[in-house]
C-alpha cells in the first residue's frame, strides 16, 4: 500500500511539472521547483525521467527545459469530435472577419480561465491572444461572464478565495455580475491589461450550461466603450449560434 501511495505521488509531481509549461515555454530547474514547491533534487530526478521519455527537452546551453515531442504525439491522438476549439473555429473566423478584431474562446479551470482557441485580428495594430494562456478569474470580460453564469454560489466561493485582489470591492463585483446576467454580456476596459479592451458573451450548450466564454478584444484606441456596446449584439448572436453546434 505504501509503495502505491509513493507511486501516485510521483505521478502527481511529474504532472505538476508538465503543467508548469502552460505559463512559460522554457523554465529552469529552480523556477520549476519554486512553482510546485518541491526541493530541487526531487524536481531534477523527475525531470531526468521525463527527459528520458521525451516529455521534456533540456537546452544544454541555457540549462532550461521545454516540452518534448512526446507531448505533441499525444495531442495528435486526441479526439476532436467534441472539442469546442475545433468545432467553433470556423464561426470564430467569421466573427473576426465581421468585426475586425481578435476573437478568443475561454474555458474555466478553478480560479482561472484558459484560452483554448483564438483568431487574431488582421489589422496591423492588434491584440495578440496566445492559445493556452491562463488568466485570473477575478478580472476581465470573459472572467466575469464565466462567473456570472455559473451555477449556485460560485461567485461567493470565488470572492472567498485568499487570492482575491485586495483592491477589488466585493459589493461592486456582485453588482457587476447581476448587470451581466441582465444584459447577457460583459465588457472590460483596461481592466486586466493596460491599453486593451474586450467584450464577452457566454456560449450555452443545449442543456443550458455555460460551455465557454466568447470574447472580442483589441486596443482601446479602436474599442471605445461605445464600440464595445455596438459589438455586443453581434457577439451574443454569434455565441448563440455557436452554442447550437455543441452537444
Amino acid at each position: 500500500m505504501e509503495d502505491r501511495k509513493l507511486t501516485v505521488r510521483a505521478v502527481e509531481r511529474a504532472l505538476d511539472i508538465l503543467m508548469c509549461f502552460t505559463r512559460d515555454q522554457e523554465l529552469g530547474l529552480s523556477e520549476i521547483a519554486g512553482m510546485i514547491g518541491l526541493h530541487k533534487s526531487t524536481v531534477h530526478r523527475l525531470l531526468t525521467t521525463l527527459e528520458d521519455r521525451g516529455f521534456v527537452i533540456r537546452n544544454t546551453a541555457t540549462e532550461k527545459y521545454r516540452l518534448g515531442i512526446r507531448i505533441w504525439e499525444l495531442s495528435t491522438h486526441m479526439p476532436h469530435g467534441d472539442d469546442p476549439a475545433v468545432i467553433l473555429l470556423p464561426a470564430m473566423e467569421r466573427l473576426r472577419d465581421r468585426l475586425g478584431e481578435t476573437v478568443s474562446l475561454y474555458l474555466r479551470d478553478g480560479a482561472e480561465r484558459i484560452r483554448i482557441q483564438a483568431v487574431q485580428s488582421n489589422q496591423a495594430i492588434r491584440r495578440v491572444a496566445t492559445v493556452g494562456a491562463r488568466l485570473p478569474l477575478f478580472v476581465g470580460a470573459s472572467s466575469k461572464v464565466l462567473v456570472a453564469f455559473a451555477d449556485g454560489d460560485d461567485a461567493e466561493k470565488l470572492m472567498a478565495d485568499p487570492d482575491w485582489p485586495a483592491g477589488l470591492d466585493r459589493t461592486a463585483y456582485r453588482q457587476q455580475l447581476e448587470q451581466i446576467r441582465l444584459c447577457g454580456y460583459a465588457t472590460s476596459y483596461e481592466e486586466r491589461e493596460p491599453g486593451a479592451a474586450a467584450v464577452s458573451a457566454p456560449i450555452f450548450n443545449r442543456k443550458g450550461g455555460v460551455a465557454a466564454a466568447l470574447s472580442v478584444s483589441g486596443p482601446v484606441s479602436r474599442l471605445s466603450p461605445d464600440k464595445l456596446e455596438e459589438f455586443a449584439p453581434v457577439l451574443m448572436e454569434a455565441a448563440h449560434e455557436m452554442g447550437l453546434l455543441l452537444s
Side-chain angles (χ1 to χ4, degrees), residues 24-216:
D24 295 281
Q25 290 187 350
E26 281 200 344
L27 293 166
L29 174 61
S30 297
E31 292 174 291
I32 297 171
M35 291 171 73
I36 63 176
L38 290 177
H39 195 277
K40 287 196 293 184
S41 62
T42 301
V43 174
H44 183 264
R45 288 196 297 271
L46 292 166
L47 282 168
T48 299
T49 301
L50 290 170
E51 185 181 6
D52 287 343
R53 295 295 182 122
F55 287 95
V56 298
I57 296 173
R58 181 170 57 91
N59 186 326
T60 56
T62 63
E63 289 300 318
K64 289 194 172 186
Y65 296 84
R66 58 183 174 85
L67 293 177
I69 195 169
R70 292 293 183 190
I71 298 293
W72 176 82
E73 289 179 344
L74 286 175
S75 70
T76 61
H77 288 83
M78 285 181 61
H80 296 298
D82 57 354
D83 185 352
V86 176
I87 295 171
L88 302 182
L89 180 57
M92 291 176 66
E93 291 173 337
R94 289 194 295 271
L95 183 62
R96 184 271 315 275
D97 294 342
R98 183 174 179 182
L99 298 181
E101 301 292 350
T102 296
V103 178
S104 298
L105 189 67
Y106 294 94
L107 295 183
R108 180 177 177 177
D109 183 21
E112 295 180 311
R113 56 182 161 115
I114 306 172
R115 187 183 292 118
I116 64 167
Q117 186 59 279
V119 180
Q120 312 297 339
S121 168
N122 291 323
Q123 303 204 50
I125 299 175
R126 61 187 178 181
R127 183 171 181 272
V128 177
T130 305
V131 174
R134 285 179 171 265
L135 303 168
L137 204 61
F138 308 119
V139 293
S142 294
S143 292
K144 290 183 289 188
V145 160
L146 291 170
V147 176
F149 293 97
D151 295 329
D153 58 351
D154 213 52
E156 295 301 321
K157 291 179 180 177
L158 180 66
M159 286 185 279
D161 192 307
D163 292 328
W164 179 265
L168 189 56
D169 182 78
R170 289 175 172 80
T171 300
Y173 186 77
R174 290 187 187 95
Q175 292 173 348
Q176 282 191 63
L177 296 182
E178 183 60 31
Q179 186 63 30
I180 291 165
R181 294 185 195 103
L182 290 173
C183 295
Y185 66 92
T187 61
S188 63
Y189 197 80
E190 296 190 300
E191 192 171 290
R192 186 188 63 82
E193 181 182 341
V199 57
S200 179
I203 297 176
F204 296 103
N205 58 33
R206 296 187 181 184
K207 297 178 181 178
V210 178
L214 180 67
S215 171
V216 174

